[in-house]
Amino acid sequence: MKSYFDKVHTWGRISCITTICVLFLVPIVFCIHYNAWPPLQGVLKGLAAVMPLYWATAVAEVISYAPLLGAGGSYLSFVTGNIANLKLPCAISAIENAKVRPNTEEGEVVTTISIAASSLTTTVIIALGVLLFRPILPKITAPESVFAPAFQQIIPALFGAIGASYFIRHLKISVLPILAGALVLVFVPSMQIGVLIIITIVVSIGGAYLMYKKNWV
Amino acid sequence: MFKESKLMYALAAAVILFVIAQSVFFLVKAWKQGKKLGLSSQTMRGTVTSSVLFSIAPAVSVVATVIVLAKALGIVLPWIRLSVIGNITYETTAAEAALNVFNSSVSEPVQDPQQFAAIIWVMTVGCIFPLILLPIFLKSIQKKIGHAAATNAKLADVISAAAFIGLIAAFIARSIVGVGTKDNPADGAGTLSVLVLVVSVLLMVILTKLCDRFKLKWLENFTMPLSMIGAMGAAILLTRYLPPEMLIEWRY
């Protein structure tokens, strides 16, 4: 009998492949319907501008997020996107609240439920937002709106709260990666967040491992 | 107009229904497995509630991005792109890069169907790589972690906490010393981002202590969303009531 994890991987693989097909349907159907095939050179030029960075980031993201999101959670998150600002904090908070350990079957179930609920919420809100609030939303998000600062500061607001839940329990581990991240940014201000994440994760794990060996944590 | 034609809406509907079906499928399967493992319905319901609440504010900011891109691309393409794999920063950059090739930009409406088609191709091909990597590598990545976790539980806990902290640290570091652009006074690190960060951390610490002290089980699921929304509220108040000369960015 197949284990739950094996089944998740089978479903996940099928869902990734079908998603790729569904996604390509959009440009293909559009081009056929309007008989508007773009010049290949234009497409390639555009791709040359974004692909090296995006495909490299994809590798980094799969390696660094997948262990945290669980198997089912990873398949779902990478299909629905917005991982760093949405799915990941959501999964971390769910693991915390349910008091289960990541990388166990219980952790797997909780992260999957959390990310599925988050994906549904996001998809529905985006759809509702687009269809219903289209006329007023520009006013809320416009640079001169009263609400604009709230949306501009969403990253510190989000990661402050998530960070705090870890600082409470793992203060010793937390200091080093934050200092490392800040130091890197001081010297390389234009560092892409995808690359910075890899550095801070390596520093954090290395530091935690040493502290564990010295019986500090 | 081709950008918001019936065909585009039909494509959007197909993509969105597909995403919903997939999420529901995984939700049902995980729920059943949770029952088998003996997780209480209360725990799983709590997970759903907190995840839904948690997602609302960031989802609204995604809608905001859709609206921003709508000026150049119509509302439907950004909607599709941000519902699947989409990510606020990538999609905006991808659209801008593709438009630049045609000497245009996200601040001007796209008029030519061929140009629009090129942009759809660039945005689609640019973003699909994770979906190629996952089916090939995820299983072996997860197996290695599962194995490590089984051999040494205490170390595995420390390491997985460290991995989360490492990730969070990058974003926190950026809020403290990140660089913004010159014409936007609120996109880089500065008084505002640091104060919002501090408010968010403090709210979270206070709410967590309150939950522990008074055994407020119901509040536990709300501590994170409340701290986040509270800090966003603080951003609005600080922008309004702090003297402008105090609202500075460190560098740009």
Side-chain angles (χ1 to χ4, degrees), chain B residues 106-119:
Chain B
V106 282
S107 47
E108 300 159 41
V110 174
Q111 305 289 1
D112 171 32
Q114 267 195 357
Q115 218 176 24
F116 189 67
I119 291 157

Side-chain angles (χ1 to χ4, degrees), chain B residues 3-84:
Chain B
K3 286 188 283 188
E4 292 179 13
S5 60
K6 281 202 181 106
L7 177 82
M8 284 302 287
Y9 275 103
L11 284 170
V15 169
I16 275 129
L17 286 177
F18 175 76
V19 172
I20 289 179
Q22 201 174 30
S23 302
V24 171
F25 175 86
F26 274 96
L27 182 61
V28 171
K29 291 289 183 185
W31 192 282
K32 281 189 185 151
Q33 187 66 15
K35 284 251 143 122
K36 263 193 220 160
L37 291 172
L39 287 175
S40 70
S41 301
Q42 198 201 353
T43 305
M44 292 195 284
R45 265 202 298 271
T47 303
V48 172
T49 319
S50 67
S51 303
V52 168
L53 288 171
F54 200 93
S55 309
I56 293 174
V60 172
S61 73
V62 176
V63 178
T65 316
V66 173
I67 304 287
V68 170
L69 290 176
K71 192 171 177 191
L73 303 174
I75 196 125
V76 190
L77 180 63
W79 175 22
I80 296 177
R81 289 297 329 110
L82 283 153
S83 295
V84 193

Side-chain angles (χ1 to χ4, degrees), chain A residues 15-120:
Chain A
S15 76
C16 282
I17 294 161
T18 32
T19 307
I20 295 178
C21 299
V22 172
L23 274 179
F24 272 110
L25 211 65
V26 178
I28 293 171
V29 170
F30 183 89
C31 290
I32 294 174
H33 184 86
Y34 289 100
N35 192 22
W37 295 91
L40 187 63
Q41 217 193 350
V43 176
L44 290 180
K45 264 194 190 158
L47 279 176
V50 294
M51 236 168 70
L53 176 66
Y54 283 21
W55 285 43
T57 321
V59 175
E61 284 191 342
V62 168
I63 294 170
S64 48
Y65 296 159
L68 313 176
L69 294 166
S74 295
Y75 289 117
L76 271 181
S77 301
F78 280 99
V79 165
T80 49
N82 288 300
I83 300 179
N85 60 326
L86 235 166
K87 306 291 150 50
L88 196 61
C90 195
I92 299 175
S93 137
I95 286 264
E96 290 292 300
N97 289 330
K99 298 186 176 58
V100 292
R101 288 183 35 222
N103 302 315
T104 59
E105 224 173 303
E106 286 81 3
E108 167 69 27
V109 165
V110 168
T111 43
T112 307
I113 292 177
S114 152
I115 290 168
S118 171
S119 297
L120 286 170

Side-chain angles (χ1 to χ4, degrees), chain A residues 82 85 122 125-130 133-134 136-143 145 147-148 150-152 154, chain B residues 56-71 74-75 78-79 82 87-89 91-92 232:
Chain A
N82 288 300
N85 60 326
T122 326
I125 287 187
I126 299 177
L128 283 179
V130 165
F133 299 105
R134 213 183 131 193
I136 47 160
L137 253 163
K139 286 187 194 121
I140 298 177
T141 55
S145 144
F147 296 103
F151 288 102
Q152 268 168 336
I154 202 157
Chain B
I56 293 174
V60 172
S61 73
V62 176
V63 178
T65 316
V66 173
I67 304 287
V68 170
L69 290 176
K71 192 171 177 191
I75 196 125
W79 175 22
L82 283 153
N87 170 310
I88 300 180
T89 42
E91 296 309 329
T92 318
M232 286 170 75

Side-chain angles (χ1 to χ4, degrees), chain B:
Chain B
M1 184 66 171
F2 60 91
K3 286 188 283 188
E4 292 179 13
S5 60
K6 281 202 181 106
L7 177 82
M8 284 302 287
Y9 275 103
L11 284 170
V15 169
I16 275 129
L17 286 177
F18 175 76
V19 172
I20 289 179
Q22 201 174 30
S23 302
V24 171
F25 175 86
F26 274 96
L27 182 61
V28 171
K29 291 289 183 185
W31 192 282
K32 281 189 185 151
Q33 187 66 15
K35 284 251 143 122
K36 263 193 220 160
L37 291 172
L39 287 175
S40 70
S41 301
Q42 198 201 353
T43 305
M44 292 195 284
R45 265 202 298 271
T47 303
V48 172
T49 319
S50 67
S51 303
V52 168
L53 288 171
F54 200 93
S55 309
I56 293 174
V60 172
S61 73
V62 176
V63 178
T65 316
V66 173
I67 304 287
V68 170
L69 290 176
K71 192 171 177 191
L73 303 174
I75 196 125
V76 190
L77 180 63
W79 175 22
I80 296 177
R81 289 297 329 110
L82 283 153
S83 295
V84 193
I85 323 182
N87 170 310
I88 300 180
T89 42
Y90 298 169
E91 296 309 329
T92 318
T93 340
E96 181 70 17
L99 284 161
N100 285 347
V101 171
F102 296 98
N103 297 320
S104 184
S105 128
V106 282
S107 47
E108 300 159 41
V110 174
Q111 305 289 1
D112 171 32
Q114 267 195 357
Q115 218 176 24
F116 189 67
I119 291 157
I120 312 183
W121 280 106
V122 171
M123 290 174 98
T124 307
V125 178
C127 77
I128 54 148
F129 199 44
L131 296 186
I132 301 172
L133 291 174
L134 282 183
I136 305 172
F137 295 113
L138 185 60
K139 199 169 178 178
S140 54
I141 295 178
Q142 301 270 339
K143 270 231 170 90
K144 285 207 184 86
I145 297 151
H147 183 71
T151 41
N152 189 340
K154 165 84 165 100
L155 179 62
D157 272 356
V158 171
I159 297 292
S160 84
F164 281 111
I165 291 168
L167 178 107
I168 298 161
F171 288 95
I172 290 185
R174 214 189 196 183
S175 305
I176 301 172
V177 285
V179 179
T181 48
K182 198 159 190 171
D183 21 306
N184 187 337
D187 62 342
T191 30
L192 197 54
S193 69
V194 170
L195 285 172
V196 169
L197 187 70
V198 170
V199 169
S200 183
V201 170
L202 284 180
L203 278 175
M204 187 65 195
V205 171
I206 293 166
L207 287 172
T208 310
K209 299 271 176 222
L210 281 177
C211 285
D212 287 351
R213 175 75 54 86
F214 300 104
K215 305 258 171 287
L216 303 172
K217 203 108 197 59
W218 58 271
L219 187 63
E220 280 177 8
N221 285 330
F222 297 90
T223 48
M224 242 183 251
L226 278 178
S227 309
M228 185 177 88
I229 292 167
M232 286 170 75
I236 298 178
L237 294 177
L238 287 167
T239 313
R240 284 206 114 177
Y241 298 112
L242 267 190
E245 63 272 18
M246 282 183 70
L247 288 174
I248 47 159
E249 278 182 57
W250 316 137
R251 50 192 195 155
Y252 35 75

